[in-house]
């Protein structure tokens, strides 16, 4: 903080299916990640085809202490060298959030360290400032297995939700389409690979909600359209040929890219009416790895004359460094740590925005 020794914070994240801890030291400038440990639970949930909250909660309770120990030891620091603890207190699955909050409260009670309760989405949304020093205000598109949001970020604690999904998250749609077409999980990379050389125009696939004003997103009708084409091809030819799979994947990818780039274009226009000084764009989340989507978003950014930042994958997906960073941002903005830290499974980042109808498979997360 200005005029004070740089903060060194311990971050803790357990809102969905990754237990994570990190140690971060404040700059200037920015901050340095001294360690970042992520223990994923994908294998535990794989047999069930989705995250099972009870299994997640138990796994977090078992893993978090080890993650914290590993993060401190990799940073080469004891708790006596830490200035505060930042923990995801929402939104997310209640059992996982409680495991994280209890771990943080236990450490704080034992050490007297201050505690920051951080909104998971704020962690994602502020990461482009950690990685690329992106100035406020900027627009961030979060696209992952659990998130689909368009946020205008005006400050460390000033977020406006301009749009988001009313049903599936895009990563979830990629995963479902992969399953429909007999491709492995996670579906995104599998669909992207299968789409190589495919004809995106062979099958007529919808672009849901593009014909309507507004920034809501929807992917479930698109997924159903892929299902219908698959069933028709199977009924006509007795099965899917390689070329059918290739063209369906290419068509699906192109539809997702069209939807997200058109909505980003609209969001830029809307953001500029609120903030004519809009400084940049950021895209984050696992789906941001998709090359066809990335190319489409680059085109939008270039057309709008704005830089497009995309943090490295390890900082785009769930991690605890982003949680520690969000606390550093809050501290720099003069916001005090909280006193009554509790888990908030439903915690919209923009409390003024109307709640959405749905929010994806890991919906509680976002
Ligand atoms: O952010 P992330 O790693 O984690 C959570 O959502 O928790 O996102 C994972 C999602 C998965 O649904 C995966 O299929 C998708 O991101 N994904 C992709 C690609 N790589 C990962 N989707 C499209 N194209 C990709 N190359
Ligand atoms: Zn997340």
């Amino acid at each position: 903080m200005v005029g004070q020794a740089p903060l060194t914070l311990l971050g803790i994240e357990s809102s969905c299916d990754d237990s994570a801890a990190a140690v971060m030291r404040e700059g200037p400038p920015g901050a340095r990640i001294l360690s970042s440990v992520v223990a994923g639970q994908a294998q535990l949930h794989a047999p069930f085809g989705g995250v099972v909250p009870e299994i997640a909660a138990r796994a977090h309770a078992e893993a978090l202490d080890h993650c914290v120990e590993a993060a401190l030891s990799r940073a080469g620091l004891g708790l006596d060298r830490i200035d505060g603890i930042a923990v995801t207190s929402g939104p997310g699955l209640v059992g996982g959030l409680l495991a994280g909050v209890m771990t943080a409260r236990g450490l704080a009670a034992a050490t007297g360290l201050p505690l920051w309760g951080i909104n998971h989405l704020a962690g994602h949304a502020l990461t482009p400032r950690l990685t690329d020093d992106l100035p406020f205000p900027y627009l961030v598109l979060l696209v992952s297995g659990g998130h689909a949001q368009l946020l205008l970020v005006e400050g460390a604690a000033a977020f406006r939700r301009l749009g988001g999904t009313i049903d599936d998250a895009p990563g979830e749609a990629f995963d479902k389409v992969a399953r429909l077409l007999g491709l492995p999980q996670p579906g995104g990379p599998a669909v992207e690979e299968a789409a190589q050389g495919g004809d995106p125009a062979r099958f007529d696939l919808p672009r849901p909600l593009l014909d309507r004003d507004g920034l809501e997103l929807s992917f479930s009708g698109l997924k159903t359209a892929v299902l219908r084409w698959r069933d028709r091809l199977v009924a006509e030819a007795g099965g899917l040929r390689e070329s059918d799979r290739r063209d369906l994947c290419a068509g699906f990818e192109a539809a997702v890219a069209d939807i997200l780039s058109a909505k980003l274009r609209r969001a830029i226009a809307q953001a500029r009416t609120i903030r004519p000084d809009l400084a940049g764009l950021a895209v984050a989340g696992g789906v941001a790895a998709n090359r066809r989507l990335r190319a489409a978003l680059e085109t939008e950014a270039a057309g709008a004359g704005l830089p497009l930042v995309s943090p490295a994958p390890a900082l785009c997906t769930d991690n605890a460094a982003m949680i520690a960073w969000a606390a550093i941002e809050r501290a720099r903005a003069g916001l005090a740590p909280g006193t009554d830290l509790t888990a908030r499974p439903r915690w919209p980042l923009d409390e003024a925005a109307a709640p959405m109808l749905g929010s994806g498979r890991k919906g509680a997360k976002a």
Side-chain angles (χ1 to χ4, degrees), residues 144-146 171-172 174-175 186-189 192 285-287 289-290 317-318 362 365:
S144 71
E172 189 178 9
F174 267 98
D175 295 343
E192 175 160 25
V287 181
N290 187 274
T317 55
D318 288 353
K362 303 172 188 170
K365 179 168 149 180

Side-chain angles (χ1 to χ4, degrees), residues 15 120-121 124 144 147 316-318 322 365:
S15 64
H120 177 85
L121 294 166
H124 279 302
S144 71
H147 313 301
C316 263
T317 55
D318 288 353
M322 70 180 189
K365 179 168 149 180

Side-chain angles (χ1 to χ4, degrees), residues 6-9 23 25 72 75-84 113:
L7 287 173
T8 302
L9 296 188
V23 177
R25 176 158 302 153
L72 288 168
L77 299 178
L79 270 175
D80 55 325
R81 304 273 305 282
I82 298 292
D83 303 312
L113 288 173

